[in-house]
Amino acid sequence: MATPHLHSGEVSNLLAPEGQLLAVPAHALFKDEHLEVILMNLMQGKSLPSHHVHGPITIQCLSGEVQVELQAGPKTMHAGDLLYLAAGLRHAVVAISNTSFLVTIVLLKAVA
Amino acid sequence: MATPHLHSGEVSNLLAPEGQLLAVPAHALFKDEHLEVILMNLMQGKSLPSHHVHGPITIQCLSGEVQVELQAGPKTMHAGDLLYLAAGLRHAVVAISNTSFLVTIVLLKAVA
């Protein structure tokens, strides 16, 4: 986690020391033309308002519990859980406990 | 892991029971037009020959140890490690111990 951006061929460890949460709420691991990976660290009760992105994404819970609110209802995720969201799906996020999760976003051009 | 494919808005747990390795070597969690996520389970000593894909990928080690061989040299990954590979980068994979890892692939059209 020392380098601000991961270059192709580089390895980064995603796991914070046991019981700790990294101080930075959002750490962009890397972003290239087609793919962006962000490590999110949210304290209990913090949330991300409803939003969507143009490409498909995955949200992977690494520690703690995070709730993803979808139009179809909420999904509670624990460590090891992966959620797939098709392109454009609106979602909000709430940290049920201190949580870290990985967001992987395919970058597609917006269609006007 | 009961469903063969994850639909948008569905959650799947990636973690095998402690010390166990799922019997299926490659489990495609989902594949849509732009994104594919595969859970790989390799027994110690098993390998994937050198190959490349057209889009950028990430490899995330979930358990055990896996070595990714790149032109620049080998990278050994442990649980929690994420490796980013730019589009088209050749790589081979060797399981140093029984290992599971997640492969996230952006699906780009091949350029002739």
Side-chain angles (χ1 to χ4, degrees), chain A residues 6-15 29-35 37 56-58 60 62 70 75-87 89 102 104-106 108, chain B residues 6-15 29-35 37 56-58 60 62 70 75-87 89 102 104-106 108:
Chain A
L6 199 60
H7 295 283
S8 175
E10 280 184 352
V11 171
S12 179
N13 191 276
L14 304 174
L15 303 182
L29 290 172
F30 72 88
K31 181 178 182 176
D32 75 9
E33 187 184 355
H34 300 290
L35 183 62
V37 177
I57 73 170
T58 61
Q60 182 189 350
L62 299 173
L70 305 171
K75 295 281 180 183
T76 302
M77 301 178 68
H78 306 90
D81 284 344
L82 182 91
L83 172 67
Y84 157 52
L85 297 180
L89 210 65
L102 198 67
T104 300
I105 306 169
V106 177
L108 298 181
Chain B
L6 199 61
H7 295 284
S8 176
E10 280 185 352
V11 172
S12 178
N13 191 276
L14 303 174
L15 303 181
L29 290 172
F30 71 89
K31 181 177 182 175
D32 74 9
E33 187 184 353
H34 300 290
L35 183 62
V37 177
I57 73 171
T58 61
Q60 183 188 350
L62 299 173
L70 305 171
K75 294 282 180 184
T76 302
M77 300 177 68
H78 306 89
D81 283 344
L82 182 91
L83 172 67
Y84 157 52
L85 297 180
L89 210 66
L102 198 67
T104 301
I105 305 170
V106 177
L108 298 181

Side-chain angles (χ1 to χ4, degrees), chain B:
Chain B
M1 304 304 303
T3 53
H5 280 98
L6 199 61
H7 295 284
S8 176
E10 280 185 352
V11 172
S12 178
N13 191 276
L14 303 174
L15 303 181
E18 190 68 35
Q20 292 184 35
L21 200 64
L22 296 178
V24 185
H27 177 87
L29 290 172
F30 71 89
K31 181 177 182 175
D32 74 9
E33 187 184 353
H34 300 290
L35 183 62
E36 179 171 19
V37 177
I38 303 169
L39 180 60
M40 299 290 304
N41 301 290
L42 290 188
M43 300 293 286
Q44 182 175 12
K46 294 286 182 185
S47 61
L48 303 176
S50 182
H51 64 285
H52 72 283
V53 292
H54 298 292
I57 73 171
T58 61
I59 299 174
Q60 183 188 350
C61 184
L62 299 173
S63 68
E65 290 174 299
V66 61
Q67 185 168 287
V68 180
E69 293 169 355
L70 305 171
Q71 196 170 14
K75 294 282 180 184
T76 302
M77 300 177 68
H78 306 89
D81 283 344
L82 182 91
L83 172 67
Y84 157 52
L85 297 180
L89 210 66
R90 291 201 73 82
H91 58 285
V93 173
V94 181
I96 304 297
S97 60
N98 289 357
T99 184
S100 71
F101 55 94
L102 198 67
V103 183
T104 301
I105 305 170
V106 177
L107 301 171
L108 298 181
K109 298 279 189 292
V111 178

